[in-house]
Amino acid sequence: MKEYHNRKADTSAVDELYEAILCLKTKEECQAFFNDLCTTLELQTISQRFQVAKMLRNHHVYQDIMGTTGASTATISRVNRSLGNGYEIVFNRLKENQKDKSVKNVNSGAEPEET
């Protein structure tokens, strides 16, 4: 695994924000916190970049990404340059969580959720 990259913006205030995010336990808590913290536009921008990163990771071409997400080529290029350890950690954990959910559904006799 690559080393974490510390940017100049990583200050004690940013560290405090990271700690605040880490103390959230549910999706509902995250939603409440980010709705308080960010404007609607900021949340849309962040989620758009996340969708762009997912599509880039799945080898989609820029035209497909633009059509699906509405992101500009500049945004796609910026996200493409920043794809790194942070995104990999999240994508791998999401994949693990999906596997865990599928196993729980199979073990409980329930049908796995559609994705």
Side-chain angles (χ1 to χ4, degrees):
M1 188 179 282
K2 290 189 252 178
E3 258 184 63
Y4 292 99
H5 177 67
N6 289 327
R7 296 182 181 178
K8 288 182 182 177
D10 288 345
T11 64
S12 61
V14 174
D15 283 344
E16 195 172 346
L17 174 62
Y18 296 153
E19 291 296 328
I21 293 168
L22 287 171
C23 77
L24 300 169
K25 295 182 180 172
T26 66
K27 185 167 65 172
E28 291 77 17
E29 289 178 355
C30 287
Q31 185 177 31
F33 179 69
F34 279 95
N35 282 336
D36 288 347
L37 181 68
C38 300
T39 65
T40 301
L41 183 58
E42 289 167 335
L43 280 173
Q44 289 171 343
T45 300
I46 292 167
S47 62
Q48 180 189 63
R49 287 183 181 185
F50 184 71
Q51 294 305 313
V52 167
K54 275 185 9 181
M55 293 184 77
L56 285 167
R57 187 171 189 260
N58 290 322
H59 310 291
H60 289 263
V61 296
Y62 277 37
Q63 279 305 118
D64 290 343
I65 297 170
M66 287 170 50
T68 301
T69 67
S72 67
T73 56
T75 296
I76 297 166
S77 180
R78 190 176 315 119
V79 171
N80 194 34
R81 284 191 309 271
S82 69
L83 278 177
N85 197 39
Y87 280 116
E88 277 305 307
I89 291 168
V90 168
F91 291 139
N92 288 335
R93 297 244 172 96
L94 287 170
K95 189 175 180 180
E96 289 170 15
N97 289 349
Q98 191 61 38
K99 283 182 186 176
D100 289 347
K101 284 182 184 177
S102 294
V103 168
K104 285 179 186 175
N105 285 337
V106 169
N107 289 339
S108 69
E111 291 294 319
E113 293 179 13
E114 303 240 348
T115 54

